[in-house]
Amino acid sequence: PSICVFATAISCSLGWESLTKRKFVGIATTVVGSLIMVLLEFDGSHSSHNNQQGLKIRLFGQLCFLCNCMSSASLYVYSKKVLNNVGAIELLAWSYACCAVFMLVANLSISGSGTLHFICDDCSGGSWHMPRESLWAVCYSVIFASCLAYFL
């Protein structure tokens, strides 16, 4: 859901969309909630990362996730402006096709170089393995966070 909020914030800051009171409250609530989740440590929520190094790694992961969401939101905002003659389905199909090629190259490079254990120490099924429990999260990400976000 954060990609939709970032896309709205980017569009409003560029003047492509009007910033209403409702949008401002939604953006502010999301930002405050995100900061609380990232910066505060609750008992048991991150018990495996009690040392300083673990906290740095977790914060770095959160920053990478922020950059990922901002990049996705920027793609939707700018592609709508630039590619007026391309339909939403076609744009998303080309985006996913290009990303699939990049992911294939990255996966083959990581598998071939032997750095998989460094990147993912719990990838027991290999670099192509996706746990069955993750399927719903991936479907949600593709359908709602990507396709529906672009249509909105």
Side-chain angles (χ1 to χ4, degrees):
S2 63
I3 295 173
C4 301
V5 175
F6 287 137
T8 303
I10 292 169
S11 294
C12 290
S13 66
L14 293 173
W16 296 348
E17 202 173 301
S18 61
L19 181 62
T20 63
K21 187 177 187 178
R22 185 175 177 184
K23 289 177 188 176
F24 178 78
V25 169
I27 292 169
T29 304
T30 303
V31 169
V32 169
S34 298
L35 288 173
I36 288 171
M37 286 179 62
V38 170
L39 299 177
L40 293 182
E41 178 114 15
F42 294 104
D43 288 336
S45 63
H46 303 290
S47 60
S48 62
H49 298 293
N50 287 333
N51 61 14
Q52 193 67 18
Q53 181 66 22
L55 292 173
K56 287 180 184 178
I57 291 171
R58 196 178 89 236
L59 184 58
F60 178 70
Q62 296 289 345
L63 290 173
C64 288
F65 184 69
L66 173 70
C67 290
N68 178 32
C69 291
M70 288 296 287
S71 298
S72 296
S74 297
L75 168 73
Y76 300 134
V77 170
Y78 288 110
S79 62
K80 272 190 158 183
K81 281 291 191 186
V82 174
L83 303 171
N84 289 332
N85 58 344
V86 176
I89 300 292
E90 184 180 356
L91 175 70
L92 288 173
W94 278 108
S95 297
Y96 277 104
C98 291
C99 289
V101 170
F102 286 129
M103 288 173 57
L104 174 66
V105 170
N107 197 331
L108 291 174
S109 300
I110 290 168
S111 297
S113 67
T115 58
L116 178 63
H117 182 69
F118 174 73
I119 294 171
C120 179
D121 60 353
D122 63 348
C123 290
S124 58
S127 60
W128 294 102
H129 174 72
M130 182 176 79
R132 177 169 272 175
E133 299 84 26
S134 302
L135 184 61
W136 290 112
V138 172
C139 289
Y140 172 83
S141 176
V142 169
I143 294 169
F144 291 103
S146 296
C147 297
L148 191 61
Y150 184 82
F151 288 119
L152 294 177

